[in-house]
């Protein structure tokens, strides 16, 4: 090999090194996913966001899953099998900041692709921001909100007081209400897409936003008198009294509902139909139903096998018997077995028939709840409204939601789905039995009880939050609840927040709970 | 005929020669393996009469008188003297030189260096050592043979061993100087001449970031070895896997059910039964009448006729498993002459798994060719083709798709597995509905074995071509091209009615996982060697360009339309699919200088510059150096006489790189989507992980319409490469005339600043960010003793002892919080990296378990606050002892090795306990005694009287408060008395399964790894057969296991995390490990 050959070879190598410029610019980039500068239609981000919001950021907020037992609608009999645990072993919560991140990206992409700030994505983004912060603050107390979501620009945001978070939330909901009206009226405004709840109808969203504001205001009932900043009562009255500015739900048809679909978005119990004999209906709700001769008894439960064996009729309310969430599972299981057959199982033909049978949509925030909220406010004297009428409307809406009308025949099955008889819904007698007793403590109790019943398998944690706020209905507590035998009032702060934002987290815990992040401590909202 | 002629002529020769006055001696010289040696010098002592052996090892020599002494000498072998007496035939075997000083070591780029001149730690093993006692994977055979190299032998079919060097995964494999991208299954033991392990970056720095964790250098056999001409060899091994070394240990006293009750429904598929998906908490087997799956159905009442409840399947697992087999056959042809050398080798490995209908076939062809155009110009090339094929690879997972789950966690003895052999439900549902003992949690194991199939096909090719030219004396140029390419195809045929969490409709699925790799490299190398009386100089300079292109796809049906048709056109719902592809380019330039001064020292200096395409633009180019110094003290210092050689060495090396992963899964996980393909194999990758990108991931959240989410980790555009710095000091120390040597190495590895995913507070909107932070420091010692302490005429004893230990601690953490979260806990500077935190019982300062008012262990806070430090995950040390004895034609060897210290979590123990199946839940154990008492109370009263009183104390009054570390802060406010509250055994065992820490045990284990007993056919006999060598060996592997529990073979789990399945693709529930016995036949023509 001559020297010239060697030189050629070296030149070749040098050439190779310099000719790879393009590779070194393109190879670092992941070719399989859209990059940050990629153009992502805002509807994609919205669709995913709404789906995430629906299921919550901690335990899945879906019917007949863990949350159903914690709302004391159902009871698991056999934890090591698949009935699930009844324990309230609550600890650190999940967090909703991933929603905030994606809301920011929704805003960015919507503004970029639509070229205007006057677009419905930004407005819905504002609403979802409120929803996200409220979702978290009601679980823990003070949280980072005003400085949150800024990424590396502020990795340790300060915590805002719960009062400030709610003030900001209520103000923003007002803004959202107004903006939705403006955009809906503007024929040139970009149209919404990717809405899984209201088929892109902004007016429907407006009703939901206002009904949701009523929910927040009612949840602030303990602060109605001592937070002048919030003006809880005044705001509530204003919304109900000025329907032109604040359109509200008119019927179940306006509900903020999630509609299940075959195959892609199934009713979540279909796989658990195997465990139908491991989930019974809770005594907390079933007592309210049967004692009031509520026809929704036949929607929720099957007759207790032991009662049928003993000769009771399937439409005899006494044949229905709930199980106590606070007792040990071993005891409940034993009592459910054999000739005793003490407990009513979850209605198989309605909820477990599967695989693509859909019993009902999932209510995020519904008309019936709104009626009860107005009734509650009226009962509390926040506004001048006919509590009795709203109360009755709320009940009727709930009955209709479950398909119940006077004289309706309901097939009754046993725990594994075999039809064993029929019951006839007697709405008249039921309504007479639960007739509103007036704007007094008992009336309030009736409203809250009926609202609780209407939450059966829907509305996320609202049933629990109502119990936490009012004590109605009384949730079962005892040795089967947890090792302290008490139902917690809150969750602990997200672990990663405490570890990575330690100074601010400590300040917040010290300020609110005397230094201990305790599940039994009371936050400002419910103090 | 030819044979007879040969024998006759031999006889004739003997007769003729003995008739001379002079004594004639002839015979054959072989090595200890009975291979003939060519060119052995034989002289008559005290004379200048001499001769050499021919290619069959034969010689003939004449002596003047009786009793003269013949001296046999050969390079690399111990010289032997034999008194000829009046013998005319002397066959002897020479024993390989036990002088360790002559050892030559293959280093980076295939460059051979004398071990004397190495400044870093390496250790070699002769490939022939592992030819006999075979392992499915060649790498397994390195277990215990190299100090610091830990091989985690996996009992799974087609699971590569976990290979860890000095505590690091991601080891580079190099064949004849060429880095290859290999899953190690295409390395055929029969083609390997030597293994050399370069133990750290100090040794492998020339390979850049690929060599950061060290390298395993494999030198393959070439031509006919040291002989000229043609050589044929045949090697055959048959091994049977007869015994299960570890397996699930289950009780057979209680059957399926809940709280001592059980009844199968009247529906054939138990659809009306109340105990679907029950665990093994049912009634005791006492022959009492119970409705069971095989109880006859009364045609009139439609109800089941009760049948006796008996333990029908005590040996279910043993009855289901079969004898495994490992059959390896190799045939190789080698040819060498002055100009050319050529070797062609074919290996067939056929493995039959211990589960029915499982097997693995590997066909491997290796061709290597060398040709000398002139004395200066040589062309050399090798191509290796490997085809892996399996019609069915079993799953080993936590789930209904796994046998260990079906037998160990939710097994039970209430059914006889042999009764399930006919696995279709009757009548008329063949192909649609399986027949099983329960429907809901498990599958019929035979249905799984013959219907739920996972095919595997892989083609691996690596190939290289080298042209080298000696320009002038000492100056050599070399250009090389190489490539590794593999192509993987896996599928899964999931039949109708198969039970699995991911398929609620039980309508089956068909899935394909395809992956394709092309990793190619071109390089140029110049070496220059110069020696003067005072100085020696070795210079190396080179440059390389490497390009990697990878692509994969994963496609699945979403419920089958027609049962049994496994095709993508047979999907009820839209197909689910993912693709992933990646590209990488690495340019490197490097040089190395060795400078020796007289007999005093040698210095080595290396520099390496890289340009790596995975790093952000602006950080792609970087440089790192290394240096070492060696001094052979015994060459210039007078040492005590028994020390024959002493060398000291020190070295320093740095490596940089980043954003490259050594392994990759199916495309869905590569993209960051959840893994729903359970037994996903990890394949070797060494390509970009795109771990520093802001991206959107697309989803189908509602009605199959698109959604998108933004990344939760913030990318860092100014990210710099990581840095690993290693310092090493060593002492080599030989005694007994260099026959026995010890090698002690101390190393320190500073790993960092790493590319670290720093956790962020969720309120920032992100979960993590890539930063250059966190430095760990690892200190370790390796000790190796090697040699032949006894060599006497026909007897030789070889010993090899390897010991290694290391500890790694956090040295620097710049996170604003001053700490980081990993392994379930908070880590600060000074903490060992392998601390393990998990939930353990809440205990008093005296160590008593605190129970809640319900008699169950008290729950602490969740998350990391509720976790306790329970121990260290890494072993304290590893130790292996290998002894080998040669006596005449016999060889005997055995190896004992083990890893000591550390803890491991046992998933089977926990889940088997929670399922009521673990052996500790029955019999004469605390659980078993309470269980029996409860059963008796239930039998008597129909109600269970709780009988399990947990040892410890019970909280009578007060509410426990914890600090943020999970410690009790108000002990003085609590009333704690000895526990007197009885809980249901079942409640207790289920509650206890929340405390993972209670199901950990020692990681210590030892194995009697290998025994071989060999016999080499005497030369006189083999030469009659016209073969050079015949050897027959009886082997046994994995003979005995000594560990904390007999349901978990700890061997394969190497990592320091709590959950062992965080290891490189190791499963949560492993298949049993097996003992194997066999025979090996090796013939060389």
């Amino acid at each position: 090999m001559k020297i010239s050959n060697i030189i050629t070879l070296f030149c070749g190598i040098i050439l190779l090194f310099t000719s790879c410029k393009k590779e070194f610019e393109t190879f670092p980039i992941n070719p399989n996913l859209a990059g940050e500068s990629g153009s992502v239609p805002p509807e994609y981000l919205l669709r995913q966001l709404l789906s995430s919001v629906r299921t919550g950021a901690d335990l899945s907020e879906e019917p007949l899953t863990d949350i159903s037992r914690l709302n004391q609608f159902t009871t698991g009999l056999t934890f090591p099998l698949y009935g699930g645990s009844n324990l309230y072993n609550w600890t650190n919560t999940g967090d909703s900041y991933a929603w905030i991140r994606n809301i920011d990206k929704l805003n960015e992409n919507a503004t970029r692709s639509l070229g205007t700030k006057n677009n419905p994505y930004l407005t819905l983004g504002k609403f979802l921001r409120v929803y996200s912060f409220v979702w978290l603050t009601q679980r823990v107390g003070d949280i980072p909100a005003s400085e949150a979501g800024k990424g590396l620009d502020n990795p340790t945001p300060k915590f805002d007081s719960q009062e400030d978070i709610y003030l900001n939330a209520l103000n923003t909901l007002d803004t959202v209400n107004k903006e939705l009206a403006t955009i809906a009226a503007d024929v040139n405004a970009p149209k919404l897409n990717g809405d899984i709840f209201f088929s892109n109808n902004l007016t429907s969203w407006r009703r939901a936003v206002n009904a949701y504001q009523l929910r927040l205001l009612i949840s602030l009932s303990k602060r109605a008198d001592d937070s002048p900043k919030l003006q809880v009562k005044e705001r509530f009255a204003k919304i109900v009294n000025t329907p032109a500015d604040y359109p509200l739900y008119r019927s179940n048809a306006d509900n903020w509902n999630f509609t299940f679909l075959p195959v892609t978005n199934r009713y979540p119990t279909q796989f658990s139909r195997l465990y139908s004999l491991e989930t019974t209906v809770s005594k907390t709700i079933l007592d309210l139903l049967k004692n009031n001769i509520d026809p929704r008894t036949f929607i929720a439960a099957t007759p207790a096998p032991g009662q049928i064996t003993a000769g009771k009729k399937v439409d005899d309310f006494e044949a229905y018997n709930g199980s106590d969430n606070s007792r040990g599972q071993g005891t409940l299981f034993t009592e459910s077995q054999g000739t005793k057959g003490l407990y009513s199982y979850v209605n198989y033909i309605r909820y477990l028939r599967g695989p693509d049978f859909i019993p009902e949509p999932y209510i995020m925030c519904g008309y019936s709840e709104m009626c009860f909220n107005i009734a509650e406010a009226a009962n509390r004297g926040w506004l001048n409204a006919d509590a009795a009428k709203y109360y009755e409307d709320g009940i009727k809406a709930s009955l209709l939601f479950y398909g119940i009308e006077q004289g309706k025949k309901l097939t009754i099955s046993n725990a594994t789905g075999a039809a064993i008889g029929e019951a006839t819904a007697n709405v008249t007698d039921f309504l007479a039995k639960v007739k509103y007793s007036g704007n007094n403590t008992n009336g309030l109790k009736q409203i809250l009880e009926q609202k609780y019943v209407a939450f059966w398998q829907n509305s996320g944690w609202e049933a629990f939050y109502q119990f936490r706020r009012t004590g109605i209905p009384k949730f079962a507590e005892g040795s089967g609840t947890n090792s302290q035998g008490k139902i917690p009032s809150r969750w602990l702060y997200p672990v990663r927040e405490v570890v990575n934002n330690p100074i601010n987290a400590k300040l917040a815990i010290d300020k609110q709970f005397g230094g201990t992040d305790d599940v039994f401590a009371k936050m400002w909202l419910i103090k | 005929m030819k044979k007879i002629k040969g024998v006759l002529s031999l006889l004739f020769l003997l007769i003729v020669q003995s008739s001379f006055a002079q004594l004639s001696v002839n015979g054959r010289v072989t090595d200890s393996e009975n291979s003939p040696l060519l060119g052995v010098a034989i002289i008559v002592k005290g004379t200048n009469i001499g001769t050499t052996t021919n290619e069959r090892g034969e010689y003939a020599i004449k002596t003047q008188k009786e009793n003269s002494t013949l001296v046999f000498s050969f390079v690399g072998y111990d010289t032997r003297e034999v008194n000829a007496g009046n013998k005319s035939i002397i066959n002897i075997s020479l024993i390989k030189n036990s002088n360790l000083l002559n050892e030559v070591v293959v280093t980076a780029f295939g460059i051979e260096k004398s071990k004397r001149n190495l400044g870093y730690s390496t250790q070699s093993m002769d490939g022939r050592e592992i030819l006999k006692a075979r392992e499915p994977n060649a790498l397994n055979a390195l277990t215990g043979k190299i100090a610091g190299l830990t091989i985690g032998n996996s009992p799974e079919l087609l699971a590569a061993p976990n290979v860890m060097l000095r505590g690091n995964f991601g080891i580079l494999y190099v064949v004849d100087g060429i880095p290859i991208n290999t899953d190690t299954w295409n390395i055929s033991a029969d083609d390997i001449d030597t293994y050399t392990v370069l133990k750290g970056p100090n040794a492998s720095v020339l390979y850049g970031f690929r060599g950061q964790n060290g390298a395993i250098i494999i030198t393959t056999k070439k031509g006919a070895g040291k002989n000229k001409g043609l050589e044929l060899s045949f090697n055959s091994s048959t091994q049977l896997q007869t015994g299960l070394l570890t397996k699930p240990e289950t009780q057979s006293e209680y059957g399926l059910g809940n709280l001592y009750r059980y009844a199968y429904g009247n529906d054939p598929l138990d659809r009306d039964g109340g105990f679907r998906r029950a665990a093994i908490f049912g009634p005791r087997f006492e022959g009492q009448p119970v409705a069971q799956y095989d109880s006859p159905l009364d045609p009139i009442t439609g109800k089941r006729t009760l049948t006796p409840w008996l333990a029908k399947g005590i040996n279910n697992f043993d009855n289901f498993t079969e004898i495994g087999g490992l059959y390896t056959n190799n045939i190789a042809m080698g040819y060498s002459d002055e100009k050319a050398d050529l070797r062609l080798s074919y290996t067939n490995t056929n493995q039959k798994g211990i589960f029915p209908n499982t097997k693995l076939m590997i066909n491997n062809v290796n061709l290597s060719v060398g040709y000398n155009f002139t004395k200066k110009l040589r062309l050399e090339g090798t191509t290796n083709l490997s085809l892996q094929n399996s019609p069915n690879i079993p799953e080993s997972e936590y789930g209904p798709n796994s046998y260990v789950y079906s037998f160990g966690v939710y097994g039970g003895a209430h059914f006889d597995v042999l009764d399930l052999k006919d696995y279709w439900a009757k009548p008329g549902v063949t192909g649609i509905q399986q027949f099983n003992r329960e429907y809901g949690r498990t599958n019929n194991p035979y249905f799984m074995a013959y219907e739920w199939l996972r095919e595997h096909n892989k083609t691996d090719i690596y190939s290289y071509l080298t042209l080298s030219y000696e320009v002038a004396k000492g100056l050599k140029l070399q250009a090389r091209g190489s490539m590794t390419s593999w192509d993987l195809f896996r599928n899964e045929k999931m039949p109708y009615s198969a039970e699995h969490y991911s398929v609620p409709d039980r309508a089956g699925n068909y899935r394909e996982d395809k992956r394709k790799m092309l990793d190619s490299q071109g390089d140029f190398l110049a070496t220059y060697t110069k020696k003067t009386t005072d100085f020696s100089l070795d210079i190396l300079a080179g440059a390389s360009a490497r390009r990697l292109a990878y692509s994969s796809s994963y496609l699945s049906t979403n419920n089958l339309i027609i049962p049994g048709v496994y095709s993508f056109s047979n999907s009820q719902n839209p197909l689910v699919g993912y693709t992933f592809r990646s590209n990488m380019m690495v340019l490197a330039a490097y040089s190395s200088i060795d400078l020796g001064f007289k007999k005093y020292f040698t210095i080595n200096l290396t520099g390496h510059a890289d340009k790596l395409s995975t790093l952000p633009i602006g950080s792609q180019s970087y440089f790192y150096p290394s240096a070492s110094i060696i001094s052979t003290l015994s060459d210039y210092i007078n040492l005590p006489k028994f020390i024959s050689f002493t060398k000291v060495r020190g070295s320093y090396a740095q490596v940089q790189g980043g954003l490259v992963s050594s392994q990759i899964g199916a495309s869905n996980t590569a993209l960051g989507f959840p893994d729903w393909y359970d037994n996903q194999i990890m394949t070797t990758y060494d390509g970009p992980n795109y771990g520093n990108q802001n991206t959107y991931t697309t989803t189908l959240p509602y009605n199959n319409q698109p959604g998108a989410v933004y990344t939760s980790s913030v990318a860092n555009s100014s990210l710099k490469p990581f840095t690993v710095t290693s310092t090493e000091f060593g002492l080599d120390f030989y005694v007994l005339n260099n026959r026995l040597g010890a090698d002690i190495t101390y190393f320190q590895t500073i790993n960092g600043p790493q590319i670290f995913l720093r956790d962020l507070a969720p309120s920032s909107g992100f979960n993590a960010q890539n930063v250059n932070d966190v430095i760990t420091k690892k200190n370790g010692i390796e000790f190796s003793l090697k040699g032949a302490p006894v060599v006497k005429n026909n007897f030789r004893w070889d010993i090899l002892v390897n010991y290694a230990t290391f500890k790694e601690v956090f040295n620097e953490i710049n996170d604003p919080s001053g700490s980081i979260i990993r392994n379930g806990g908070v880590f600060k500077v000074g903490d060992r990296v392998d601390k393990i935190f998990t939930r353990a019982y809440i205990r008093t300062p005296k160590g008593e378990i605190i129970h809640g008012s319900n008699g169950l262990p008290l729950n602490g806070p969740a998350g990391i606050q509720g976790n306790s430090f329970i121990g260290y995950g890494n072993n304290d040390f590893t130790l292996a002892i290998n002894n080998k004895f040669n006596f005449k034609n016999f060889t005997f060897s055995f190896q004992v090795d083990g890893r000591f210290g550390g803890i491991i979590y046992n998933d089977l123990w926990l889940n088997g306990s929670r399922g009521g199946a673990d052996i500790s839940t029955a019999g004469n154990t605390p659980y078993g005694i309470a269980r029996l008492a409860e059963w008796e109370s239930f039998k008597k009263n129909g109600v269970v009287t709780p009988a399990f009183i947990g040892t410890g104390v019970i909280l009578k009054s007060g509410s426990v408060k914890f600090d943020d570390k999970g410690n009790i802060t108000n002990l003085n406010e609590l009333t704690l008395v000895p526990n007197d509250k009885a809980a249901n055994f079942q409640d207790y065992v289920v509650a206890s399964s929340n405390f993972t820490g209670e199901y950990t045990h020692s990681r210590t284990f030892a194995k009697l790894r290998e025994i071989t007993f060999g016999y080499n056919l005497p030369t006189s006999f083999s030469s009659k057969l016209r073969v050079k060598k015949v050897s027959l060996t009886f082997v046994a592997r994995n003979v005995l296991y000594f560990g904390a529990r007999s349901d978990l073979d700890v061997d394969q789990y190497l990592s320091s995390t709590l959950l062992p399945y965080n290891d490189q693709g190791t499963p949560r529930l492993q298949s049993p490990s097996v003992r194997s016995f066999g025979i090996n036949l090796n013939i060389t023509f």
Side-chain angles (χ1 to χ4, degrees), chain B residues 36 42 70 86 109 173 304 446 460 462 489 542 621 766 994:
Chain B
I42 302 136
L70 297 184
N86 56 1
F109 296 133
Y173 295 92
R304 295 210 175 255
Y446 290 101
D460 271 274
Y462 71 79
F489 172 88
S621 302
F766 291 87
N994 288 328

Side-chain angles (χ1 to χ4, degrees), chain B residues 648-691:
Chain B
V648 290
R649 57 192 161 79
S651 78
Y652 165 91
Q654 207 181 63
V655 180
Q656 297 188 331
L659 300 173
V660 170
S661 292
S662 60
Q663 294 193 314
I664 197 163
S667 28
N668 52 334
T669 46
L671 286 171
F673 286 96
D675 168 22
W676 55 294
Y677 182 63
D678 292 276
N679 196 18
Q680 174 184 159
I681 58 160
M682 300 298 285
T683 36
T684 160
Y685 178 55
D686 201 22
N689 59 22
Y690 299 122

Side-chain angles (χ1 to χ4, degrees), chain B residues 352-619:
Chain B
K352 184 192 169 316
I354 58 163
F355 295 119
N357 198 25
T358 54
K359 65 174 171 178
L360 172 66
M361 284 162 292
I362 300 179
N363 287 294
N364 197 91
V365 179
N366 185 287
L367 172 69
S368 73
V369 182
Y371 188 77
N372 303 318
F373 292 99
T374 69
K375 285 209 159 161
K376 291 179 170 178
L377 184 67
R378 178 174 165 83
L379 184 71
E380 198 177 287
T382 290
T383 293
N384 191 86
L385 169 70
S386 168
L387 304 171
Q388 296 167 12
N389 182 289
S390 171
N392 186 27
I393 302 272
E395 295 247 14
S396 51
E397 263 297 324
Y398 181 81
N401 46 347
S402 143
Y403 293 123
V404 175
Y405 177 89
S406 301
F407 285 104
V409 179
Y410 293 111
H414 59 284
F415 70 103
D416 181 354
V417 72
L418 299 173
D419 186 34
L420 302 179
K421 268 195 159 169
D422 195 0
Y423 52 74
W424 289 118
K426 301 279 176 319
V429 278
T430 297
I432 297 174
Q433 178 60 54
Q434 63 170 310
F435 167 64
N436 200 6
R437 78 280 194 179
E438 63 95 22
Y439 299 86
R441 201 198 295 266
T442 62
N443 290 287
N444 177 328
Y446 290 101
F447 168 77
M448 288 162 76
Y450 293 99
E451 296 296 329
W452 193 345
L453 306 178
R454 294 161 201 89
E455 210 179 314
H456 171 100
N457 288 299
K458 192 173 182 228
T459 308
D460 271 274
I461 299 170
Y462 71 79
S463 189
Y464 69 85
L465 204 60
T466 306
L467 188 67
S468 55
Y469 182 66
E470 200 177 339
V471 180
K473 193 171 160 27
L475 177 65
K476 207 167 141 186
L477 299 180
Q478 178 181 290
R480 294 190 296 196
S482 66
M483 68 112 193
T484 296
S485 159
W486 55 256
D487 207 314
L488 170 74
F489 172 88
R490 284 205 144 203
N491 72 9
E492 178 177 8
K493 294 170 179 168
M494 184 190 219
Y496 255 61
S497 81
E499 186 66 47
H500 191 260
Y501 308 138
S502 70
V503 186
D505 295 332
R506 297 176 185 77
N509 268 318
Y510 179 65
R511 292 157 181 179
E512 281 185 3
D513 175 3
K514 292 181 182 174
R515 310 181 199 180
K516 208 179 169 79
M517 164 68 75
L518 179 63
D519 190 348
S520 51
Q521 180 164 327
D523 64 47
F524 173 79
L525 194 68
T527 53
Y528 178 71
T529 308
K530 175 105 184 138
K531 263 206 171 85
T532 67
T533 42
D534 285 351
F535 291 98
S536 71
L537 185 68
D538 288 287
I539 301 179
L540 172 155
S544 69
R546 173 177 169 224
R547 185 168 178 154
L548 177 143
Y550 173 81
S551 65
S552 65
S553 68
Y554 174 71
L555 198 58
S556 174
T557 61
N558 194 346
N559 290 354
L560 297 177
I561 302 170
I562 297 167
V565 176
Y566 298 105
S567 153
F568 292 129
S569 51
N570 190 34
S571 182
Q572 279 183 28
N573 303 311
L575 297 172
V576 183
Y578 306 88
T579 60
F580 175 85
R581 61 185 307 163
S582 60
N583 284 293
M584 182 172 84
M585 183 81 142
V586 193
L587 302 178
Y590 29 80
S591 75
S592 155
I593 297 172
D594 282 14
L595 181 68
F597 177 65
K598 288 185 176 170
K599 58 189 178 183
Y600 296 113
F601 62 82
T602 305
I603 301 172
N604 170 274
L605 297 170
T606 306
H608 198 115
D610 270 340
K611 188 170 183 187
L612 174 60
S613 76
T614 56
L615 290 163
I617 295 162
S619 310

Side-chain angles (χ1 to χ4, degrees), chain A residues 1 9 20 24 28 30 32 34 36 47-48 78 91 97 101-102 109 149 151-152 259 265-266 275 277 496-497, chain B residues 258 273 277 469 505-506 524 581 585 620 693-694 696 699 701-703 706 710 760 762-765 769 862:
Chain A
M1 206 184 270
L9 196 64
C20 299
F24 281 96
N30 187 343
N32 306 293
E36 59 188 315
R47 190 177 285 115
Q48 178 58 52
T78 54
T91 54
Y97 292 106
R101 172 172 76 245
N102 284 290
N109 281 279
L152 299 178
T259 307
N265 303 83
R266 285 179 161 154
Y275 331 126
L277 289 168
R496 292 179 37 251
E497 191 69 44
Chain B
N258 191 33
R277 283 199 173 232
Y469 182 66
D505 295 332
R506 297 176 185 77
F524 173 79
R581 61 185 307 163
M585 183 81 142
Q620 291 175 335
Q693 313 249 321
N694 290 331
Y696 289 95
T699 55
Y702 191 64
N703 200 17
Y710 193 63
L760 293 172
S763 60
S764 70
Q769 189 216 5

